[in-house]
Amino acid sequence: MSDGRALAREFLEQQRLLGGDAVILPDGPPPRADGRSGGQADGNTPSRSAGPVVRPSAAATDLPRPGISYDPPGGDLFSNDPVPQAVSLEAIAQLVAGCTKCRLCEGRRHTVPGEGAAAARLVVVGEGPGRVEDETGRPFVGPAGELLTKILGAIELPRERVFICNVVKCRPPENRLPQFDEIAACVPYLFRQIDIVKPSVILAMGGTAAQTLLNTKQSLGALRNFVHRFRGIPLIVTYHPAALLRNPNWKKPTWDDVRIARRLIG
Ligand code: SF4
């Protein structure tokens, strides 16, 4: 009982954080099967608290229409480039650890290749490491990472069952946007990670991730509400958790987006 109540409390908290659908907690006990009101009307039935009732959303019933399909060429397996030949996420991480292909290597404390399950059904892609990520070598930690963990929990995907990474693997100075040449140098690692994991769905969080994975300059707002494809894998675009911390009004649309991603995972 207490576990159930704790789970319900956690679920309601996630709903509140994500700006999700209204949750109705009836005052009284649940109705009886015979249509009479529940509770102790007959003097024998013990009182029970009712579970939360979630009002279904229209957004949860229909999938968005198809969007952009991007199928970048794979690396040349016969070249000397080790990235397309890397056979595991660990091999990619080792290559990233020694990478000096762009200027972002100069100020980094740690590379942040990504972490999570090699057999993940969902790959989450953000922009680049921030200060805490650079200090720890882990993606999506700190307040934005905690929010991402809550978002994943809300769609019943524990963080450890997801692969989480960024477009660039080293921290841009002062958290500026990664520049075009830095993204171009780093993106083969991301593409190879996706090839290795072979997820059912990709969740692109923020404009940099969406534009890189779809090879477009369209705004994040224009890219939301479509089921795009990256090498045939469904890709959903939504806001970056750091942006949600700055603008809580985006939590509700993000909640809608991640539920679409969850439905596509099956
Ligand atoms: S950001 Fe990417 S390409 Fe640039 S040094 Fe780091 S790992 Fe290499």
Side-chain angles (χ1 to χ4, degrees):
M1 170 69 83
S2 60
D3 283 349
R5 292 180 68 83
L7 280 172
R9 197 175 300 116
E10 187 179 336
F11 177 78
L12 292 172
E13 173 64 8
Q14 286 166 348
Q15 287 276 311
R16 187 187 67 76
L17 282 168
L18 297 172
D21 293 331
V23 176
I24 305 164
L25 287 171
D27 291 335
R32 291 162 40 133
D34 60 7
R36 292 161 56 191
S37 61
Q40 295 177 306
D42 57 8
N44 295 317
T45 310
S47 68
R48 291 188 298 157
S49 61
V53 178
V54 181
R55 189 182 294 144
S57 159
T61 58
D62 298 311
L63 284 176
R65 58 193 186 280
I68 296 170
S69 185
Y70 179 45
D71 192 5
D76 183 354
L77 287 173
F78 300 102
S79 77
N80 291 327
D81 184 352
V83 178
Q85 298 172 38
V87 294
S88 67
L89 296 172
E90 291 75 18
I92 294 283
Q94 283 181 6
L95 292 170
V96 166
C99 181
T100 56
K101 285 185 187 170
C102 83
R103 68 184 75 81
L104 294 183
C105 69
E106 296 164 8
R108 73 185 178 208
R109 295 176 67 178
H110 294 98
T111 53
V112 186
E115 69 179 21
R121 290 153 74 195
L122 178 70
V123 167
V124 174
V125 183
E127 180 178 294
R131 182 183 58 79
V132 185
E133 287 84 356
D134 181 56
E135 287 172 358
T136 60
R138 296 185 58 211
F140 282 91
V141 289
E146 288 171 17
L147 183 54
L148 174 63
T149 301
K150 287 187 171 119
I151 290 170
L152 295 174
I155 56 171
E156 296 170 1
L157 274 180
R159 184 181 164 117
E160 57 272 15
R161 284 175 45 202
V162 176
F163 186 73
I164 301 171
C165 59
N166 286 302
V167 171
V168 294
K169 314 301 190 189
C170 303
R171 183 193 183 197
E174 308 304 321
N175 291 346
R176 66 159 169 77
L177 285 174
Q179 295 176 0
F180 178 79
D181 60 329
E182 295 160 354
I183 292 173
C186 206
V187 83
Y189 296 122
L190 171 63
F191 289 178
R192 187 67 188 137
Q193 286 172 321
I194 293 172
D195 283 348
I196 290 170
V197 175
K198 295 184 178 59
S200 303
V201 177
I202 299 167
L203 184 64
M205 303 195 95
T208 299
Q211 291 167 348
T212 301
L213 287 166
L214 297 173
N215 194 32
T216 179
K217 292 183 176 172
Q218 290 187 52
S219 70
L220 183 143
L223 292 170
R224 283 191 58 246
N225 290 319
F226 290 93
V227 178
H228 305 285
R229 300 255 167 195
F230 175 84
R231 289 184 175 157
I233 301 167
L235 183 150
I236 299 298
V237 172
T238 195
Y239 296 99
H240 193 284
L244 300 185
L245 294 174
R246 293 191 299 270
N247 189 341
N249 290 335
W250 289 337
K251 286 183 180 176
K252 175 67 170 71
T254 301
W255 177 228
D256 291 338
D257 296 335
V258 296
R259 280 191 299 184
I260 291 165
R262 188 68 182 90
R263 289 183 60 212
L264 287 165
I265 292 169

